[in-house]
């Protein structure tokens, strides 16, 4: 037995090396995706500068073109990408089903289509798509692993998805927590070390490439519990309610075929995407551009205590993000959700006259709304803490995220598992009779 283990050990180390090389490649691809989306946002800003009316043409036309490309060439690339990865991790998924949810071709399709969505001005983020992109890239390395019993494909997909969050947000710790809290409840004990290392490697690639930066800057005010207590309670209740409503709307926008608009969407997907694009463009025109893009810039401004954002910003961003997601184009909701939460936190700070703690309350709003829509409070507060260097606010961020998440659960079922069920249904429809085969890996 000892001889067999010694004989096997070189192969196991080779498998680990393959996973780590895959993590490096995955990290660089996600970083490239981040660069592409930054460039797309810059180009759309240039379009706006040429004429405020151009988005009325560009956004609807872009939406129709993206949905056509998605439906004809990459049907599994629509939406966020997180539901696809969760579905690919399900044990009741048919054997052939993973390829329709997580694959290398889908990863590059997702990268291209999501970039086009940002170039068109839709209110979408890149973090959810990064999960599907990274999972597909890392999964492609599984074929080179010799001892597949030690490192399962399930765990490779899980590690890839979490690596996508780590690289996209530049937050390795959040990627590890995201793997356990949102994507799956466990790692296989025998492979957990190598896979957690892969997540960290992907995050370190992002850090080494883009610098050890905080995407949203830093919370300027020190968090004083007495100053944040009542505003924090209001923020937790407000973001929990709004996030629960947002999840409810997203779920039923795809599931409830009793809605006449959903029947029309099913029959005329391209026209519906064009209509959604037009609504986003009109919202952008009325709000001075607030409806467009991921919302990073607005979140940065609010955290920096720059108060040139409208008090109605969170409403505009809430609506434009819902409509963008409903249109059927590939794109995530993490970054727009953070900007909605930032807007709500800003309004609460004004309402409670907490002018000395605006940045801190904005950070609470970000954590609360993200926790409410994902119902993953630990991941949410860690993401905000790492992205704002808000370590002094860890207890306040944690409490807000937990309360908001619990309130959201009263209003809506969990968003991503519900959307993952729809992905399973789609795959079963595609596979037909073969859908009864379950994946036992």
């Amino acid at each position: 037995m000892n001889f067999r283990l010694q004989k096997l050990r070189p192969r196991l180390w080779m498998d680990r090396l393959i996973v780590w090389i895959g993590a490096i490649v995955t990290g660089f691809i996600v970083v490239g995706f981040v660069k592409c989306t930054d460039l797309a946002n810059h180009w759309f800003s240039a379009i706006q500068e040429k004429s405020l009316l151009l988005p009325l043409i560009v956004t609807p036309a872009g939406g129709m073109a993206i949905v056509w490309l998605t439906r004809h060439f990459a049907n599994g690339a629509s939406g966020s990408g997180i539901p696809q990865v969760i579905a690919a991790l399900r044990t009741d998924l048919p054997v052939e089903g993973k390829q329709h949810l997580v694959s290398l071709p889908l990863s590059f399709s997702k990268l291209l289509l999501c970039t086009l969505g940002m170039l068109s001005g839709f209110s979408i983020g890149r973090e959810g798509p990064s999960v599907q992109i990274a999972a597909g890239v890392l999964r492609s390395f599984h074929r080179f692993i010799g001892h597949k019993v030690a490192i399962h494909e399930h765990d490779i997909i899980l590690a890839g998805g979490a690596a996508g969050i780590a690289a996209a947000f530049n937050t390795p710790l959040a990627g590890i927590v995201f793997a356990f809290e949102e994507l799956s409840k466990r790692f296989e004990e025998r492979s957990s070390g190598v896979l957690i290392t892969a997540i960290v490697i992907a995050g370190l690639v992002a850090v080494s490439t883009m610098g050890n930066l905080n995407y949203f800057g830093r919370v300027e005010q020190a968090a004083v519990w007495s100053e944040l207590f009542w505003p924090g309670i209001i923020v937790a209740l407000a973001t929990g309610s709004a996030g629960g409503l947002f999840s409810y709307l997203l779920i039923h926008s795809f599931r409830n075929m009793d809605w006449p608009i959903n029947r029309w969407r099913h029959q005329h997907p391209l026209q519906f995407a064009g209509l959604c694009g037009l609504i986003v463009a009109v919202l952008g025109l009325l709000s001075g551009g607030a409806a467009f893009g991921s919302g990073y810039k607005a979140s940065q401004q609010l955290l920096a205590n720059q108060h040139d954002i409208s008090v109605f910003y969170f409403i505009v961003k809430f609506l434009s993000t819902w409509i963008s997601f409903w249109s059927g184009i590939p794109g995530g909701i993490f970054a727009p959700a953070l900007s909605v939460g930032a807007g709500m936190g800003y309004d609460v700070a004004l309402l409670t006259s907490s002018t000395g703690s605006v940045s801190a309350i904005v950070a609470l709003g970000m954590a609360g709304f993200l926790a409410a829509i994902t119902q993953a409070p630990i991941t949410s507060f860690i993401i905000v803490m790492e992205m704002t260097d808000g370590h002094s606010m860890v207890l306040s961020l944690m409490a807000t995220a937990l309360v908001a998440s619990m309130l959201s659960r009263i209003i809506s079922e969990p968003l991503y598992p519900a959307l993952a069920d729809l992905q399973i249904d789609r795959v079963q429809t595609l596979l037909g009779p073969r859908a009864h085969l379950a994946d036992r890996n």
Side-chain angles (χ1 to χ4, degrees):
M1 183 66 180
N2 290 335
F3 175 76
R4 290 180 63 190
L5 287 175
Q6 289 175 1
K7 192 174 180 180
L8 187 60
R9 189 170 291 119
R11 178 68 253 184
L12 290 176
W13 277 106
M14 180 63 69
D15 291 343
R16 291 172 182 172
L17 182 61
I18 290 171
V19 173
W20 293 335
I21 292 173
I24 294 173
V25 174
T26 299
F28 277 114
I29 289 177
V30 173
V31 168
F33 176 50
V34 170
K35 299 293 186 182
C36 288
T37 55
D38 285 342
L39 189 60
N41 286 327
H42 176 73
W43 284 349
F44 182 78
S45 296
I47 291 173
Q48 286 182 276
E49 290 176 3
K50 286 186 178 180
S51 173
L52 293 176
L53 298 179
L54 270 179
L56 294 174
I57 300 173
V58 172
T59 308
M64 295 179 70
I66 294 166
V67 168
W68 186 87
L69 289 170
T70 302
R71 291 176 64 87
H72 283 79
F73 300 105
N75 198 28
S78 64
S80 163
I82 294 176
Q84 285 92 327
V85 175
I86 293 176
L89 294 170
R90 291 263 294 267
T91 57
D92 58 345
L93 179 72
V95 174
E96 304 92 334
K98 285 185 174 65
Q99 196 67 15
H100 294 280
L101 297 165
V102 176
S103 67
L104 194 59
L106 270 179
S107 293
F108 286 105
S109 298
K110 190 83 167 191
L111 189 155
L112 174 63
L113 294 169
C114 190
T115 301
L116 290 176
M118 292 191 176
L119 181 60
S120 302
F122 282 93
S123 179
I124 55 176
R126 62 195 177 211
E127 293 74 24
S130 296
V131 171
Q132 188 179 15
I133 290 170
V137 172
L138 195 57
R139 180 187 176 229
S140 68
F141 283 83
H142 187 257
R143 72 186 68 179
F144 303 113
I145 293 176
H147 196 61
K148 292 181 171 58
V149 175
I151 303 178
H152 287 175
E153 185 180 45
H154 172 282
D155 294 328
I156 288 288
I157 294 172
L158 178 60
I165 285 291
F169 273 128
N170 211 357
T171 54
L173 177 59
I176 296 171
V177 175
F178 179 74
F180 287 97
E181 187 177 31
E182 186 66 76
L183 294 183
S184 180
K185 306 306 178 186
R186 58 163 180 84
F187 272 128
E188 292 288 347
E189 184 179 353
R190 57 179 171 265
S191 58
S192 61
V194 64
L195 298 177
I196 289 175
T197 306
I199 298 169
V200 173
I201 288 173
L204 290 177
V205 168
V207 171
S208 63
T209 306
M210 298 185 290
N212 191 17
L213 54 86
N214 303 105
Y215 267 95
F216 295 125
R218 288 175 169 82
V219 177
E220 293 186 351
Q221 294 91 3
V224 180
W225 178 253
S226 60
E227 294 179 3
L228 295 181
F229 182 73
W230 289 112
I233 290 178
I234 297 173
V235 165
L237 296 177
T239 56
S241 301
L245 175 62
F246 187 83
S247 295
Y248 179 88
L249 287 173
L250 285 186
I251 292 170
H252 288 274
S253 294
F254 291 95
R255 178 193 289 171
N256 195 339
M257 294 306 296
D258 292 334
W259 293 2
I261 188 67
N262 267 346
R263 291 198 295 270
W264 185 70
R265 175 184 181 274
H266 180 72
Q267 295 169 358
H268 306 284
L270 299 188
Q271 292 91 324
F272 183 81
L275 175 62
C276 289
L278 181 61
I279 294 173
V280 171
V282 170
L283 286 172
L285 183 64
L286 296 176
S287 63
F292 298 126
S294 63
Y296 272 120
K297 185 176 180 180
S299 299
Q300 289 173 333
Q301 289 176 339
L302 291 171
L303 280 168
N305 224 342
Q306 299 173 6
H307 302 162
D308 56 349
I309 303 294
S310 168
V311 294
F312 299 106
Y313 171 78
F314 86 89
I315 298 176
V316 170
K317 202 63 183 169
F318 182 106
L319 292 174
S320 64
T321 304
W322 168 39
I323 296 298
S324 295
F325 201 78
W326 198 7
S327 70
I329 69 168
I333 57 176
F334 267 53
L338 289 168
S339 69
V340 172
M344 296 186 73
Y346 171 62
D347 287 354
V348 170
L350 296 183
L351 179 67
T352 58
S353 301
S354 304
T355 54
S357 303
V358 173
S359 294
I361 298 172
V362 166
L364 294 181
M366 295 168 69
F369 193 77
L370 184 61
I373 64 168
T374 62
Q375 295 185 12
I378 300 176
T379 300
S380 299
F381 90 76
I382 288 177
I383 284 175
V384 175
M385 181 185 69
E386 290 193 276
M387 295 183 75
T388 63
D389 196 20
H391 298 83
S392 63
M393 293 183 58
V394 60
L395 293 179
S396 301
L397 291 169
M398 186 188 303
T400 302
L402 288 171
V403 172
S405 178
M406 288 189 291
L407 182 56
S408 174
R409 290 175 186 271
I410 298 174
I411 299 171
S412 173
E413 62 188 293
L415 173 63
Y416 289 128
L419 296 181
D421 288 340
L422 296 178
Q423 290 293 332
I424 292 288
D425 292 342
R426 179 182 66 83
V427 170
Q428 289 176 335
T429 300
L430 287 172
L431 296 180
R434 293 175 296 167
H436 297 293
L437 298 174
D439 183 7
R440 302 300 181 189
N441 289 335

